[in-house]
Amino acid sequence: VLYEPRSHLALNAYAGFLHRVRKKYNEAELYYQRSIEANPRGVQGLNDYAFFLCYIRKEYLEAYQLWNAALDIDPGHLDAVCNLGYLKAMCLADRNEAPGEDWWRGAAQADITRGRDYLGGLNQPLKQLFSVVSEGALDTLS
């Protein structure tokens, strides 16, 4: 970061170091935000900040929105696809911290049309994972 203070990749890498190694979450969040400001279309930065928001801050809706923004830019970004799937499963398992059931049903329904674009060979495992969300709604992915 000292040598490349405007590099979104350097800012994101340093944010990850602060987050995962040093456990300095407030400082890490600032660097994740700076990374996205430096390159709003940086998919890895969006993915990593969403991961931070989901698992450290428990800000599920913001994480969901960032992962969807990343997938709008790069529909094949496997980290974002898997993280988004895990977020859905995690929130379903812990309803006390998750958005309401109606919100998740709507999100699952909205993802059906996008799913054809970026899920590819992951459709069957994800259909099993999300079957709780919306009975039969994901059958259209096949």
Side-chain angles (χ1 to χ4, degrees), residues 46-93:
L46 292 168
N47 177 69
D48 292 350
Y49 186 38
F51 185 91
F52 173 84
L53 289 173
C54 181
Y55 296 101
I56 301 302
R57 300 290 192 218
K58 308 293 186 210
E59 295 177 9
Y60 302 122
L61 182 57
E62 290 86 351
Y64 178 85
Q65 291 168 339
L66 284 174
W67 277 319
N68 275 306
L71 291 170
D72 285 342
I73 297 164
D74 180 1
H77 194 274
L78 189 57
D79 283 349
V81 170
C82 292
N83 285 329
L84 187 57
Y86 187 77
L87 168 67
K88 289 180 180 183
M90 181 181 70
C91 286
L92 286 171

Side-chain angles (χ1 to χ4, degrees), residues 4 6-13 31 34-36 38-39 42-43 45:
E4 295 288 337
R6 290 182 297 226
S7 167
H8 72 281
L9 296 173
L11 292 165
N12 189 57
Y31 278 93
R34 286 181 55 197
S35 171
I36 292 171
N39 183 5
V43 176

Side-chain angles (χ1 to χ4, degrees), residues 9-22:
L9 296 173
L11 292 165
N12 189 57
Y14 189 59
F17 169 75
L18 291 169
H19 161 198
R20 291 179 176 88
V21 177
R22 301 293 303 273

